[in-house]
Amino acid sequence: WVSIWEDRVLHIVVLSIGLFVLTLILLFQDWLARRPNLLHTLRTGFLIWTVVFIGWYALAQLSVVNILTFVNALFTDFKWSTFLMDPMMFILWGFVAVSLLLWGRGVYCGWLCPFGAMQELINEAARKLKIRQIELPWAVHERLWALKYLVLLGLFAISLQSMATAEVYAEVEPFKTAISLKFQREWGFVFYAVVLLLISIVNRKFYCRYVCPLGAGLAIPARIRLFDWLKRHNECGKPCRICANECEVQAIHPDGTINANECHYCLDCQVT
């Protein structure tokens, strides 16, 4: 694995710079929230970098398969060298582990997931074109949250019997099709990925909110995060519901509280 890291020094440097920039954005989020144009420009640029560099160029799209493999290795023959074979994935997972403790799962889902970034950029363009958005009623939306956890539990149960079978069913993630293989695949897989991207035109990050087992897997350990960086006022929810109405992934409850399990850390509520 050492020679692999040496061969990919340039990739590692570019990724490290990007993660350092993201860390600065998160640390100085209060300052940036007072400068919405700058924050929006930074976020859009970062999402494009995530899709192009992390996704299509470095092929470092994380997957629920990585989680299942790690858990399986803990109970069998765990070796760090197995995970060090891919430096980009190893560095990303290391950063995600730290960010889960500090900020929650929203940092990865909102900033570092190539497929999630692709959906968000498509939806952002649709909104600029004044395409009407379709939002599910809160009662339906709140119940659909559970779907991705059921998908995760199903994949975990299958992985206990066979990791190879679990990898097949993990195709519920369109990541391999849209990111790793750049849509160069059998038509069924391409059709599934394209449908999800088309849905994102009228509903922001539909797949991330309701289906993604990786997001569900990250939300579980993120419950032990050490800090709550997102500021709220006493008036949030009662009577003010501006942020709840404006949150484009509906992660803010009607009472004004932010559901950290569903928040994608876009910082729009902080700007508001």
Side-chain angles (χ1 to χ4, degrees):
W1 64 266
V2 175
S3 61
I4 296 175
W5 281 64
E6 290 173 347
D7 291 339
R8 304 193 69 182
V9 168
L10 180 59
H11 291 176
I12 293 170
V13 170
V14 174
L15 177 62
S16 300
I17 292 173
L19 296 179
F20 178 70
V21 170
L22 177 57
T23 302
L24 292 179
I25 291 173
L26 297 172
L27 290 175
F28 294 98
Q29 62 185 45
D30 294 340
W31 183 85
L32 287 170
R34 296 184 178 89
R35 294 158 180 83
N37 291 333
L38 174 59
L39 177 59
H40 182 266
T41 301
L42 280 173
R43 179 163 173 76
T44 301
F46 199 93
L47 292 178
I48 293 172
W49 177 81
T50 294
V51 173
V52 176
F53 178 75
I54 293 182
W56 289 335
Y57 185 74
L59 303 178
Q61 166 78 64
L62 302 187
S63 167
V64 69
V65 174
N66 303 136
I67 297 178
L68 299 177
T69 301
F70 182 78
V71 173
N72 184 65
L74 289 176
F75 294 99
T76 53
D77 55 344
F78 181 86
K79 295 179 181 178
W80 278 115
S81 58
T82 303
F83 300 95
L84 287 166
M85 293 298 287
D86 190 331
M88 304 298 284
M89 300 286 273
F90 185 84
I91 294 170
L92 263 179
W93 272 116
F95 184 86
V96 169
V98 174
S99 66
L100 286 177
L101 290 176
L102 296 179
W103 294 284
R105 71 116 177 179
V107 173
Y108 176 75
C109 295
W111 293 83
L112 292 170
C113 176
F115 190 76
M118 191 183 298
Q119 292 177 89
E120 185 164 340
L121 291 169
I122 289 173
N123 183 263
E124 191 68 25
R127 289 173 185 266
K128 289 186 180 298
L129 294 173
K130 307 298 182 183
I131 295 177
R132 182 176 177 272
Q133 299 296 297
I134 299 174
E135 295 293 350
L136 299 175
W138 177 263
V140 177
H141 165 70
E142 190 176 30
R143 283 157 180 77
L144 285 178
W145 279 341
L147 181 60
K148 59 181 175 286
Y149 294 97
L150 296 177
V151 174
L152 174 66
L153 288 174
L155 290 173
F156 178 70
I158 295 171
S159 72
L160 295 177
Q161 177 64 31
S162 169
M163 268 303 302
T165 305
E167 288 181 16
V168 173
Y169 284 98
E171 290 286 358
V172 68
E173 295 179 327
F175 306 156
K176 184 176 180 180
T177 301
I179 304 299
S180 302
L181 298 179
K182 303 180 181 70
F183 298 99
Q184 303 298 311
R185 210 177 181 194
E186 294 85 349
W187 74 268
F189 294 104
V190 175
F191 177 78
Y192 173 61
V194 170
V195 165
L196 291 174
L197 292 175
L198 290 176
I199 293 174
S200 69
I201 293 175
V202 295
N203 184 279
R204 198 174 189 95
K205 303 180 85 168
F206 175 89
Y207 170 80
C208 302
R209 289 200 266 177
Y210 306 127
V211 185
C212 184
L214 175 61
L218 294 178
I220 295 172
R223 294 187 65 84
I224 63 173
R225 73 187 190 282
L226 301 176
F227 305 102
D228 190 1
W229 298 73
L230 299 179
K231 290 182 168 60
R232 309 302 286 151
H233 293 293
N234 293 331
E235 296 81 8
C236 292
K238 299 178 181 179
C240 182
R241 294 183 59 185
I242 294 176
C243 291
N245 292 330
E246 288 186 350
C247 180
E248 291 161 348
V249 295
Q250 292 179 278
I252 302 179
H253 287 264
D255 65 1
T257 58
I258 298 174
N259 186 340
N261 293 336
E262 304 301 324
C263 174
H264 289 196
Y265 224 88
C266 66
L267 301 176
D268 285 352
C269 62
Q270 302 303 283
V271 170
T272 301

